[in-house]
Every structure is written in C-alpha cells, then in structure tokens.
Amino acid sequence: MTLEQSIDLAELQADMAFDAYLAAFDKDAHPETLDSLETEALIARSRYDDLRSLGLGH
C-alpha cells in the first residue's frame, strides 16, 4: 500500500468513526458508549493527521 493509499484509508476510517459517534449521540446512547466512540474517533483522526504530516513532508 502506498503512503497516499494509507492516508486515504486513515481519512476514511476517521470519517467513519466520527459518523458513528454522531449517530450514537443522535440516538442518545449511553454516556460510556459515547465516550468510547469519541475516543475511537479522536484516535482515528490523530492517525490520519500523523500520516498526512508524513505525506506532506516528502
């Protein structure tokens, strides 16, 4: 997998994690579920940002 493909995949994963968080929030999910999904979304976004920074550095 190329760096560009890795960046695209990380972006997709971050978007999906954030969408899952928003959907759970809209459904008034249990606070622990929301916390878990928020954490997952933040980690996915961080991974995307890190890969993007690597891509811009080359």
Side-chain angles (χ1 to χ4, degrees):
M1 180 178 295
T2 67
L3 178 59
E4 186 62 38
Q5 289 171 324
S6 295
I7 293 170
D8 290 344
L9 179 58
E11 181 179 25
L12 177 62
Q13 290 171 331
D15 289 345
M16 289 173 57
F18 187 68
D19 288 344
Y21 168 74
L22 290 178
F25 187 82
D26 288 343
K27 292 178 183 177
D28 201 24
H30 191 276
E32 288 180 11
T33 301
L34 290 175
D35 286 346
S36 176
L37 289 171
E38 180 183 26
T39 300
E40 184 179 329
L42 291 171
I43 290 169
R45 183 61 190 202
S46 178
R47 183 172 40 244
Y48 165 70
D49 289 341
D50 290 346
L51 284 171
R52 190 167 165 255
S53 293
L54 277 174
L56 294 175
H58 288 163

